[in-house]
């Protein structure tokens, strides 16, 4: 007998649901069994909700009903039925919850599904469009539901998943909760067999908090893992639970199991995922720990238990010392809640420090996957010291761009009397190795942190110092004080001839001309003391913000003009010497002017300030073309 909706109203699925259904029904044939996991997980959520509802409401339908999930199989009819005694749905809820997708990032999710990147089963689970997955296996679905609100009517929802659904009254008897009847497709009939369904449930839904019965047999028997004694839990059990919790098919990078009895009782079972789950850029929605009070789920994905920069951590927290009927709004004001939160945060950081010391390879992996989020921890003043211990940078003494150094290691590399930690920003290590500002640092053996990610500069400038050492941008460091450090190879003096007095005068005039030609673009054009391998460099005179910082502020829409800088010229560079020779032949040679412009653009490029690089490209082409002409003339 089929209990179709009575006095039914017809509705159309929203466009994105239709698109999703189309993919689920027509192109996904692997791991179809996960629809069972999804329906059980919805039933579980509905039971969690009704349990909370009971805490604050006296009048509730089916007050004495046990909280459970019942599965029945009808092999002959090719049907599977999943029932729960959960919160149920009102008419509005039925129409709004099942028929639309509330989540953002749906389009991106649908794209990923279409391309079938990664495994479908986990994509579906993580994105939480679970209910619709039933149509991978069903030709028809009938939902019969009755809300926990006293006096609610029994309602029916029916659809073949093609584009429309109907909602009406039902002639079935339900005290409270939801019953989902599934007519299976020809090739998914195995899900109407008890043994098959049992094994699917054991595989995917073993950690469900409420009893699941299949044909009267209770099949999930595992108690809440986090309340068990650590020594009794195997690695496999942790992994299985992690998979259940996150839909991540890789085992976690690490498990943190905390059990505290005094002064406050709580258990926390936390995981650091092996891979960042921040795909779709919907990390924020997905962040948070599940908060239980005496094994009752109070809040799914609570966002206040750990700070945002530890948002990559997944897991559950359970405490006896939070009132069971606390509202979400007052949670944060609860003193015990804050104490638990402080303790968890500090233990996660301790744990990360431990990994960094004992398993450096795993730590590098952590940094690669979660570093971007973790860096936001510069705002956590309470844990600043631990945070600083965990920070990693590439550095001048690293072998390659991927290598990471701690500030502690930097400290061991510092030269005698060094009082500051130097850093420099650029887009790549290759660019930095050629950066003229680093010449002096190299000759003195002073270590420099290499910073490629703009956020690092925020991190550094807001940390201000590490231990007693202030951070300082290498390109605003004062040359004379740097020069006081010993050279590593004092014998290695450059073998360039000194300029004659006369040439020195010519050079002074060239610098004057150069400044006139650049006008307000530069503050001064002067001789450089620091340059070794480059002809020019653009230096800031003051100790203000570094260029990368200014650039970032400008990117964020703030109108900050480029402050004029000092163009430093290397008198010993071959190119500058050639310019002197040209000047001697003809003081107003047009080629000099071209060099003035082009070298200025190059110095801007070094500084990362050259926004319109086409100018430099054009000038280079012109010069190359002319050079070819001069070369050929010389060959004649
Ligand atoms: P999600 O569970 O991620 O929200 P679904 O598409 O699986 O996405 O379900 C949509 C909504 O339908 C749920 O959020 C819930 O409000 C409602 N729902 C689904 N199944 C049930 C059920 N068994 N009992 C009560 N409400 C349900």
């Amino acid at each position: 007998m089929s209990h179709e909706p009575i006095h039914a109203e017809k509705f159309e699925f929203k466009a994105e649901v239709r698109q999703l259904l189309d993919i689920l029904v027509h192109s996904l044939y692997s791991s179809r069994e996960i629809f069972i996991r999804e329906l059980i997980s919805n039933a579980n959520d509905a039971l969690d909700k009704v349990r909370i509802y009971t805490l604050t409401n006296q009048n509730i339908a089916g007050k004495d009903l046990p909280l459970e999930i019942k599965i029945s199989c009808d092999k002959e009819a090719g049907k599977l039925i999943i029932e729960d005694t959960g919160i149920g749905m009102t008419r509005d809820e039925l129409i709004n919850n099942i028929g639309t997708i509330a989540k953002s990032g749906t389009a991106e999710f649908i794209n990923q599904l279409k391309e079938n990147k990664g495994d479908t089963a986990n994509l579906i689970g993580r994105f939480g469009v679970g209910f619709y997955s039933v149509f991978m296996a069903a030709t028809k679905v009938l939902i019969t539901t009755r809300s926990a609100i006293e006096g609610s009517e029994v309602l029916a929802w029916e659809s073949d998943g093609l584009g429309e659904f109907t909602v009406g009254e039902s002639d079935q008897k339900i005290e409270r909760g939801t019953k989902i009847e599934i007519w299976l497709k020809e090739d998914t009939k195995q899900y109407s067999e008890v043994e098959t369904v049992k094994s699917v449930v054991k595989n995917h839904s073993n950690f469900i908090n409420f009893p699941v019965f299949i044909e009267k047999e209770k099949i999930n028997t595992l108690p809440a893992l986090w309340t068990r004694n650590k020594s009794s839990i195997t690695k496999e059990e942790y992994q299985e639970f992690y998979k259940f919790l996150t839909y991540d098919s890789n085992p976690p990078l690490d498990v943190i199991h905390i059990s505290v009895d005094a002064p406050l009782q709580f258990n926390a079972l936390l995981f650091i995922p092996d891979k960042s789950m921040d795909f779709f850029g919907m990390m924020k929605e997905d962040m948070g720990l599940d908060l239980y009070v005496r094994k009752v789920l109070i809040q799914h994905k609570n966002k206040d238990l750990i700070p945002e920069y530890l948002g990559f951590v997944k897991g559950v927290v359970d405490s006896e010392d939070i009132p069971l009927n606390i509202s979400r709004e007052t949670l944060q004001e609860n003193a015990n809640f804050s104490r638990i939160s402080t303790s968890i945060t500090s233990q996660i950081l301790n744990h990360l420090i431990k990994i960094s010391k004992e398993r450096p390879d795993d730590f590098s992996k952590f940094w690669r996957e979660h570093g971007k989020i973790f860096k936001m921890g510069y705002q956590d003043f309470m844990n600043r010291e631990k945070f600083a211990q965990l920070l990693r940078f590439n550095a001048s003494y690293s072998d390659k761009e991927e290598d990471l150094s701690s500030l502690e290691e930097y400290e061991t590399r510092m030269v005698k009397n060094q009082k500051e930690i130097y850093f420099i920003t650029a887009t790549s290590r290759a660019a930095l190795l050629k950066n003229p500002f680093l010449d002096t640092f190299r000759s003195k053996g002073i270590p420099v942190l290499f910073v490629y990610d703009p956020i690092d500069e925020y991190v550094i400038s807001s940390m201000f110092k590490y231990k007693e050492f202030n951070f300082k941008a290498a390109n605003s460091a004062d040359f004379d004080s740097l020069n006081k450090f010993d050279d590593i190879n004092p014998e290695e003096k450059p073998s360039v001839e000194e300029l004659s007095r006369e040439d020195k005068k010519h050079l002074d005039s060239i610098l004057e001309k150069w400044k006139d030609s650049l006008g307000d673009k530069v503050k001064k054009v002067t001789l450089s003391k620091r340059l070794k391998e480059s002809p020019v460099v653009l230096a800031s005179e003051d100790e203000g913000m570094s260029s990368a910082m200014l650039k970032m502020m400008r990117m964020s829409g703030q109108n900050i003009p480029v402050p004029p800088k000092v163009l430093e010229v290397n008198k010993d560079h071959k190119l500058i010497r050639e310019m002197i020779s040209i000047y001697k032949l003809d003081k107003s040679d047009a080629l000099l002017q071209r060099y003035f412009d082009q070298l200025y653009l190059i110095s801007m490029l070094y500084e990362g300030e050259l926004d319109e690089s086409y100018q430099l490209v054009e000038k280079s082409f012109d010069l190359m073309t002319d050079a070819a002409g001069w070369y050929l003339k010389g060959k004649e």
Side-chain angles (χ1 to χ4, degrees), residues 52 82 236 273 291-292 312 451 464-465 476 556:
I52 302 260
I82 299 177
E236 287 69 31
L291 176 65
Y292 287 78
F312 52 86
V451 166
F464 191 56
K465 48 162 57 180
S476 61
S556 70

Side-chain angles (χ1 to χ4, degrees), residues 38-39 41-47 49 84 86-89 93 97-98 100 103 125 127-132 143 145 177-180:
E38 294 304 315
L39 296 183
S41 140
N42 281 350
N44 185 66
D45 292 348
L47 288 162
K49 282 181 197 158
D84 64 68
I87 191 93
M89 283 175 270
E93 284 166 348
N97 296 348
I98 306 196
T100 54
K103 299 244 162 75
F127 195 73
V129 286
F131 173 76
Y132 303 104
I143 303 175
T145 186
T178 303
K179 173 177 177 185
I180 300 186

Side-chain angles (χ1 to χ4, degrees), residues 50-96:
V50 84
R51 187 151 59 175
I52 302 260
Y53 189 79
T54 341
L55 295 172
T56 47
N57 290 280
Q58 287 300 315
N59 305 329
I60 174 172
K63 209 169 183 169
D64 301 320
L65 279 176
L67 300 179
E68 63 190 24
I69 300 169
K70 260 192 340 212
I71 302 177
S72 4
C73 297
D74 183 344
K75 198 173 166 192
E76 252 148 59
K79 261 179 78 179
L80 173 68
I81 302 168
I82 299 177
E83 291 167 84
D84 64 68
T85 49
I87 191 93
M89 283 175 270
T90 62
R91 193 184 183 87
D92 282 351
E93 284 166 348
L94 197 52
I95 295 167
N96 290 326

Side-chain angles (χ1 to χ4, degrees), residues 14 23 61 66 177 193 224 285 347 423 453 533 547 553 593 613 621:
K14 290 265 153 63
I23 300 166
E193 288 166 29
E285 271 177 54
Q347 298 213 39
F423 68 95
D453 186 353
E533 276 147 35
S547 331
M553 295 179 72
Q593 185 56 49
S613 44
F621 284 154

Side-chain angles (χ1 to χ4, degrees), residues 308-310 312 366-368 370-380 387 390-393 404 451-460 462-463:
E308 208 172 310
Y309 74 99
L310 298 178
F312 52 86
F366 154 78
W367 190 260
R368 267 200 314 277
H370 307 298
K372 257 205 148 53
I373 294 168
F374 181 77
K375 282 175 196 171
M376 302 307 281
Y378 70 85
Q379 292 157 332
D380 184 355
F387 176 75
L390 288 164
L391 270 182
R392 292 296 180 270
F393 296 96
L404 297 170
V451 166
Y452 314 117
D453 186 353
I455 170 97
D456 284 336
E457 239 196 307
Y458 269 126
V459 175
I460 286 175
S462 71
M463 296 234 314

